[in-house]
Each structure stands twice: as structure tokens, then as C-alpha cells.
Amino acid sequence: MKPPARLVLVKGKWYAQITVPKEHRAELKGKKQLRVSTGTSDRREAEKQLHEKAEELYAKLPDPIAELEADLEMLSE
């Protein structure tokens, strides 16, 4: 399940942010949150971009299905 994305205001710019699940933090150097800039200080514009930016963040999370497939390949060899 993907963690929910939200907007956070940092130094006048809106960022999309997700909380990294505990089981993936070690793989991401202990980071608790990931965020990416929307490139705007306008909240309405940032809200329009939230879904797209959240997908960018989700792509940075390790894929548990791919990990399971890799483990199965190793076992079958």
C-alpha cells in the first residue's frame, strides 16, 4: 500500500511529501520522508500537481513485488 501524499510549505514553496514505510527506510539511507518540489508558491497550483509529484515519490520507493521475484529467481537457480 502506498503512503498518502500531502503538501508541505518549505521556505515559501510547496512540496509533495510522503512518509517512508519503516521497512524501506534502511534502503533509503534512513530517510523518514521523501519530498519533491512542485515549483510553485501557489497552493492551488500545487494541489493540481500533487498526484503527479506523488507518483514520482512512489517510484523512489523499493518495489516489494520486484524483490520477491528476484528472491524466487535466486531460489530456482
Side-chain angles (χ1 to χ4, degrees):
M1 179 179 228
K2 295 179 182 177
R6 62 189 181 107
L7 290 173
V8 293
L9 187 63
V10 179
K11 295 184 181 181
K13 295 285 184 184
W14 288 102
Y15 288 77
Q17 177 176 293
I18 62 170
T19 299
V20 177
K22 288 181 182 180
E23 61 269 14
H24 297 305
R25 289 180 186 169
E27 297 169 47
L28 295 171
K29 300 177 184 174
K31 292 183 180 180
K32 292 183 180 181
Q33 282 91 23
L34 292 177
R35 73 171 67 133
V36 63
S37 176
T38 62
T40 184
S41 58
D42 181 358
R43 176 150 182 123
R44 287 185 184 178
E45 184 61 35
E47 287 172 350
K48 292 177 187 176
Q49 296 180 28
L50 181 59
H51 179 74
E52 179 184 329
K53 296 297 182 177
E55 289 301 321
E56 286 181 34
L57 293 171
Y58 297 143
K60 294 179 182 181
L61 293 176
D63 183 8
I65 302 299
E67 291 175 14
L68 288 174
E69 289 174 347
D71 290 346
L72 287 174
E73 285 181 18
M74 291 178 73
L75 291 174
S76 65
E77 292 178 354

